[in-house]
Amino acid sequence: MKRFSCDEWVELVTAYLESDLDEPTRCLFEEHLAGCEHCGHYLHQFRVTVTALGTLRPESLPGDMRDRLLSAFRDRRASRVEERRSS
């Protein structure tokens, strides 16, 4: 049976929280979570961050900050995908 590394697990956190994982992947995700204290802390911090950011109103971001943030997140994700392909 496949097991996730922590890096693979982290890539699935958003899908997990949005209930977008298929049943076998969700089970593997939760199996890793049950045995990895660090990923448990990461998931907790992720939930805290999502809750905190959910209270921000879009208009409270100055100028083009929203577009710059979204661009930074997309660039970071693209670089992580490229790093995995290269390894």
Side-chain angles (χ1 to χ4, degrees):
M1 178 186 291
K2 180 185 181 353
R3 293 184 180 238
F4 291 126
S5 68
C6 293
D7 287 340
E8 292 170 319
W9 184 91
V10 164
E11 291 296 320
L12 297 172
V13 168
T14 301
Y16 176 75
L17 291 174
E18 294 176 353
S19 299
D20 285 341
L21 297 178
D22 60 42
E23 182 70 18
T25 304
R26 185 186 59 76
C27 288
L28 290 171
F29 182 95
E30 290 175 346
E31 179 181 300
H32 179 93
L33 181 61
C36 184
E37 180 180 346
H38 299 291
C39 287
H41 290 297
Y42 180 88
L43 181 61
H44 172 73
Q45 276 304 123
F46 199 94
R47 285 180 167 147
V48 168
T49 301
V50 166
T51 300
L53 292 176
T55 62
L56 293 177
R57 295 184 329 251
E59 60 271 13
S60 67
L61 296 175
D64 67 343
M65 180 65 71
R66 181 180 184 279
D67 292 336
R68 291 183 14 225
L69 283 170
L70 289 173
S71 179
F73 290 135
R74 285 185 199 109
D75 292 348
R76 175 67 178 140
R77 179 164 173 74
S79 70
R80 291 186 80 187
V81 167
E82 188 57 37
E83 286 174 11
R84 280 195 306 248
R85 287 182 185 155
S86 299
S87 37

